[in-house]
């Protein structure tokens, strides 16, 4: 298996623009997690899905953030409109049954100018 | 609310030394604890997962222990190598099945 795949790897955009991050989990995994990592706040869970259904989105910072999982092999995290404080590395991870090991993607480094 | 801390924040050791990284959590009602490694500019790599019913897990030169009652876990690295240099994070899964991460320990192993 290729592991968790994220795209793009790097994204530079201007404030106010819409940003869409993409994730393909490991085949067979039924849990998908979106995290954000910054120097100041460390690694934070934004939202996670079980069988394509959002279970806990309490970590989503604002209404500008939204996430979807239309099928078992694809998820998106969208920021609209983007702001400079959204600059961070966004990770996607997946696991089987949610209680077992999480496997992380390489991350998307987002810079909002 | 679960809080996870890691001590020390940074550690520098000479090659060959055995070392211990510490992880503490405030809520002992966890399902499991996982140790990760993160190289600069990269994603996280899972090292060891300890279920709440287990006391320790071993993989090669790594040994992780878990003491739920005291809210502590340690990661022991034997015979450290320069290639072990990275940031090590622990994460716990509790109610709601979401992971709470510690801030990490930045390890440097000097040749």
């Amino acid at each position: 298996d290729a592991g968790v795949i994220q795209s793009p790897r790097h994204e530079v955009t201007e404030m106010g623009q819409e940003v869409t991050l993409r994730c393909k989990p490991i085949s067979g995994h039924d849990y998908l997690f979106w995290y954000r990592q910054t120097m100041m706040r460390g690694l934070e869970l934004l939202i996670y899905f079980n069988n394509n259904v959002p279970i806990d989105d309490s970590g989503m910072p604002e209404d500008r953030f939204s996430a979807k999982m239309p099928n078992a092999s694809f998820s998106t995290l969208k920021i609209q409109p983007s702001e400079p404080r959204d600059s961070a590395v966004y990770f996607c991870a997946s696991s089987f049954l949610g209680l077992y090991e999480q496997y992380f993607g390489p991350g998307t480094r987002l810079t909002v100018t | 609310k679960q809080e996870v801390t890691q001590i020390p924040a940074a550690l520098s050791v000479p090659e060959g030394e055995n070392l211990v990284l510490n992880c503490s959590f405030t809520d002992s009602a966890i399902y499991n604890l996982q140790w990760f490694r993160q190289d600069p500019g990269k994603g996280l790599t899972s090292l060891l997962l300890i279920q709440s019913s287990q006391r320790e897990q071993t993989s090669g030169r790594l040994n992780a222990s878990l003491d739920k009652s005291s809210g502590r876990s340690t990661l022991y690295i034997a015979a450290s190598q320069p290639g072990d240099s990275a940031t090590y994070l622990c994460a716990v899964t509790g109610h709601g099945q979401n992971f709470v991460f510690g801030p990490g320990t930045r390890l440097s192993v000097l040749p």
Side-chain angles (χ1 to χ4, degrees):
Chain A
D1 199 315
V4 177
I5 299 173
Q6 291 187 247
S7 65
R9 293 294 309 278
H10 301 274
E11 177 80 37
V12 181
T13 190
E14 293 183 348
M15 182 174 63
Q17 297 298 306
E18 177 180 296
V19 175
T20 300
L21 311 181
R22 298 172 176 79
C23 175
K24 176 179 168 57
I26 292 173
S27 177
H29 283 188
D30 56 347
Y31 278 77
L32 184 139
F33 304 81
W34 281 101
Y35 292 91
R36 177 173 67 176
Q37 187 176 41
T38 62
M39 289 293 292
M40 290 295 294
R41 301 175 66 88
L43 200 62
E44 303 174 285
L45 177 68
L46 300 176
I47 185 172
Y48 74 94
F49 296 82
N50 175 219
N51 291 324
N52 313 335
V53 177
I55 303 300
D56 185 352
D57 65 354
S58 59
M60 297 285 262
E62 299 171 37
D63 292 343
R64 298 184 296 106
F65 286 69
S66 63
K68 294 182 179 179
M69 192 165 186
N71 57 62
S73 59
F74 184 66
S75 177
T76 59
L77 178 67
K78 185 177 294 186
I79 308 172
Q80 165 65 22
S82 59
E83 296 183 3
R85 59 195 168 118
D86 301 331
S87 298
V89 180
Y90 291 81
F91 289 104
C92 174
S94 69
S95 74
F96 179 61
L97 292 181
L99 298 180
Y100 296 95
E101 291 180 87
Q102 286 197 10
Y103 293 86
F104 277 70
T108 295
R109 183 173 296 277
L110 173 64
T111 302
V112 183
T113 60
Chain B
K1 179 183 173 185
Q2 178 75 270
E3 292 185 2
V4 180
T5 56
Q6 291 186 246
I7 295 174
L11 181 63
S12 184
V13 300
E15 181 178 4
E17 194 161 296
N18 301 326
L19 58 99
V20 174
L21 308 181
N22 297 289
C23 172
S24 298
F25 46 95
T26 55
D27 186 349
S28 61
I30 65 169
Y31 293 129
N32 60 44
L33 183 145
Q34 194 166 355
W35 282 93
F36 294 87
R37 165 187 176 137
Q38 185 174 28
D39 293 286
K42 301 291 180 62
L44 280 70
T45 301
S46 176
L47 298 174
L48 290 165
L49 174 75
I50 310 176
Q51 301 290 353
S52 61
S53 58
Q54 298 174 321
R55 297 281 296 182
E56 65 178 325
Q57 282 285 338
T58 298
S59 176
R61 295 182 294 107
L62 306 180
N63 175 276
S65 67
L66 174 64
D67 184 343
K68 267 184 54 176
S69 60
S70 66
R72 298 175 66 179
S73 175
T74 61
L75 179 66
Y76 175 83
I77 303 177
S80 58
Q81 304 170 356
D84 295 331
S85 298
T87 296
Y88 291 81
L89 298 99
C90 68
V92 297
T93 299
H95 298 295
Q97 297 185 339
N98 55 314
F99 272 57
V100 178
F101 279 81
T105 294
R106 190 171 65 254
L107 173 65
S108 296
V109 181
L110 307 175

